[in-house]
């Protein structure tokens, strides 16, 4: 499989997965957005201190004029205040409609910078250079951009596809182990959504083939985004484990991280689907073994009723039905509708206490 994946959505763009590509980003960006142009390089303080200068050198070496916007790392910065400062930084840097924003960082940076690019001058080009495993396989691809509001996460955003995505596996070496493990949950998720070969690859050490693993995840996300860019249908398969996962995150007051919560949510979903006769019995034990292999949790500390209440409290959810992504056999999942008043029973079938 190639490590250059072309996404044909409302914009056509390439996702390249290559070791060392960050230091060559200038030439890759120049190939689609030829200099001279202005670029606004957006990153948080942590990523900026690790990789900002490497990227800056590469961008300037091919003739770009680069300004930098750096914000305090963490989800609490993904808000309208940082967004407003980012818009102003773009204006002060003199960015025109032919210039671009370059997002260097994890999901917070990508979502924030992507939304700024979607809205500044009614939309300028955005290049995503994800530095976490989670951002490489999920948030940097597919065009979901957003900021959080005080009343909830990602409540204000836009679908806005990037112009280029560059994933450098070298940067994963500076990623703290807890973040790497978190990203592994989303990688594993792709295997159970629709890639049995990925499940085989994941039985070997990740370090044996990081580019291949990441590229397989991106290729699957590409297929789902191309089929359903606006997330009204099959793209929702990417939510495997997320209904229970979001509930676990919320009930733990976000002390259980996203990837770990998704791991717990996936196993609940697999066990419940098996109990309901939707899924073959080999999947849940296979998934439990896989999650444990990557140091991810498999036990749910919350009751079925607590999980259902927390899952249904999501402000973006409406109506009497909920759509769940559920595994049906090894390496295959489907969307299944469930009445919301059956959700607690569903979690109980998945092994959560009553
Ligand atoms: N993160 C899920 C999606 O992009 O649809």
């Amino acid at each position: 499989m190639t490590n250059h994946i072309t996404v044909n959505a409302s914009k056509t763009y390439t996702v390249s997965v290559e070791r060392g590509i960050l230091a060559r980003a200038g030439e890759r960006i120049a190939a689609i957005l030829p200099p001279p142009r202005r670029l606004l390089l957006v990153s948080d303080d942590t990523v900026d201190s690790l990789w900002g200068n490497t990227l800056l050198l590469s961008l300037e070496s091919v003739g770009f004029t680069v300004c930098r916007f750096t914000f305090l790392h963490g989800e609490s910065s993904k808000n309208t205040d940082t967004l407003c400062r980012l818009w102003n930084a773009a204006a002060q840097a003199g960015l025109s409609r032919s210039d671009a924003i370059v997002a260097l960082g994890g999901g917070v940076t990508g979502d924030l910078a992507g939304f700024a690019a979607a809205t500044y001058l009614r939309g300028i080009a955005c290049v995503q250079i994800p530095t976490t495993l989670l951002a490489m396989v999920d948030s940097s691809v597919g065009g979901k951009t957003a900021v959080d509001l005080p009343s909830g996460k990602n409540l204000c955003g836009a679908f806005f596809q990037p112009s280029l995505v560059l994933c450098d596996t070298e940067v994963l070496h500076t990623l703290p182990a807890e973040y790497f493990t978190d990203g592994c949950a989303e990688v594993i998720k792709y295997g159970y959504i629709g890639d049995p070969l990925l499940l085989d690859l994941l039985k070997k050490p990740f370090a044996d083939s990081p580019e291949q693993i990441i590229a397989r995840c991106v290729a699957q996300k590409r297929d789902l985004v191309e089929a359903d860019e606006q997330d009204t249908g099959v793209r929702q398969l990417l939510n495997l484990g997320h209904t229970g996962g979001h509930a676990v995150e919320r009930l733990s007051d976000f002390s259980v991280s996203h990837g770990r919560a998704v791991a717990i949510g996936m196993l609940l979903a697999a066990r419940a689907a098996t109990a309901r006769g939707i899924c073959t019995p080999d999947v849940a034990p296979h998934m439990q073994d896989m999650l444990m292999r990557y140091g991810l949790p498999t036990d749910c500390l919350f009751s079925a009723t607590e999980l259902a209440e927390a899952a249904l409290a999501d402000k973006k959810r409406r109506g009497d039905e909920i759509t769940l992504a559920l595994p049906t056999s090894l390496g295959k999942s489907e969307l299944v509708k469930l009445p919301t008043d059956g959700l607690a029973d569903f979690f109980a079938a998945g092994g959560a206490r009553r």
Side-chain angles (χ1 to χ4, degrees):
M1 175 183 272
T2 172
N3 292 347
H4 303 282
I5 300 107
T6 303
V7 182
N8 278 302
S10 51
K11 201 178 278 168
T12 296
Y13 57 98
T14 302
V15 182
S16 289
V17 188
E18 262 177 49
R19 186 170 184 164
I21 201 172
L22 178 73
R24 301 188 293 275
E27 52 196 86
R28 291 300 309 277
I29 298 172
I32 57 153
L33 297 164
R37 269 170 216 270
R38 288 177 185 276
L39 302 178
L40 183 64
L41 169 51
V42 179
S43 56
D44 71 31
D45 52 341
T46 308
V47 172
D48 185 63
S49 67
L50 287 168
W51 298 105
N53 285 342
T54 307
L55 180 56
L56 180 74
L57 274 178
S58 172
L59 298 174
E60 288 184 336
S61 72
V62 295
F64 289 116
T65 302
V66 186
C67 295
R68 283 163 103 159
F69 177 83
T70 307
F71 61 93
L72 187 66
H73 65 277
E75 181 78 26
S76 60
S77 286
K78 198 175 127 180
N79 57 31
T80 49
D81 177 51
T82 317
L83 175 66
C84 202
R85 289 191 292 113
L86 178 39
W87 280 327
N88 279 316
Q92 275 159 18
L95 259 65
S96 71
R97 296 193 74 184
S98 57
D99 296 324
I101 286 178
V102 179
L104 172 71
V108 169
T109 303
D111 283 8
L112 183 64
F115 189 44
T119 45
Y120 178 72
L121 299 181
R122 301 190 184 88
I124 65 169
C126 183
V127 175
Q128 293 278 353
I129 307 185
T131 58
T132 64
L133 180 58
L134 183 57
M136 288 181 194
V137 298
D138 187 23
S139 55
S140 65
V141 181
K144 282 191 181 175
T145 71
V147 292
D148 301 336
L149 297 182
S151 39
K153 283 175 127 188
N154 295 325
L155 288 188
C156 192
F159 285 99
F160 187 74
Q161 300 295 335
S163 298
L164 178 68
V165 183
L166 302 176
C167 302
D168 186 349
T169 48
E170 182 74 34
V171 305
L172 295 177
H173 296 126
T174 55
L175 187 66
E178 57 180 301
Y179 292 106
F180 179 75
T181 300
D182 240 30
C184 287
E186 298 280 353
V187 170
I188 290 168
K189 181 191 78 175
Y190 282 101
Y192 291 101
I193 291 176
D195 190 348
L197 284 178
L198 176 60
L199 292 175
D200 289 342
L201 263 183
L202 290 172
K203 286 194 172 159
K204 300 180 198 127
F206 187 96
D208 283 5
S209 45
E211 291 81 16
Q212 209 186 339
I213 290 171
I214 293 166
R216 290 197 81 89
C217 297
V218 171
Q220 197 178 149
K221 181 151 188 186
R222 180 264 323 268
D223 293 346
L224 294 171
V225 167
E226 285 184 354
D228 174 28
E229 186 170 348
Q230 300 288 319
D231 198 24
T232 56
V234 288
R235 183 168 176 167
Q236 292 171 31
L237 284 171
L238 294 168
N239 293 341
L240 174 60
H242 282 61
T243 304
H246 284 149
V248 168
E249 274 184 288
R250 199 168 283 151
L251 289 166
S252 72
D253 215 5
F254 295 92
S255 67
V256 178
S257 62
H258 181 70
R260 286 162 174 81
V262 166
I264 294 166
M266 264 196 292
L267 195 55
L268 276 172
R271 286 178 174 154
T274 309
R276 297 275 166 100
I278 298 167
C279 181
T280 54
D282 51 337
V283 176
H286 188 284
M287 186 185 281
Q288 180 169 12
D289 179 62
M290 184 67 82
L291 295 172
M292 288 170 73
R293 185 186 288 262
Y294 282 85
L296 287 157
T298 54
D299 289 336
C300 182
L301 300 177
F302 302 104
S303 75
T305 310
E306 287 170 329
L307 289 167
E309 278 171 7
L312 298 173
D314 187 336
K315 292 195 168 49
K316 284 181 286 188
R317 216 202 52 75
R318 289 275 177 277
D320 300 333
E321 264 186 351
I322 187 160
T323 302
L324 299 173
L326 297 178
T328 52
S329 60
L330 207 53
K332 189 171 184 302
S333 290
E334 287 176 16
L335 294 174
V336 176
K337 287 194 192 303
L338 191 79
T340 51
D341 59 9
L343 195 56
D345 283 347
F346 180 83
F347 285 131
R353 68 185 152 78
R354 278 278 170 194

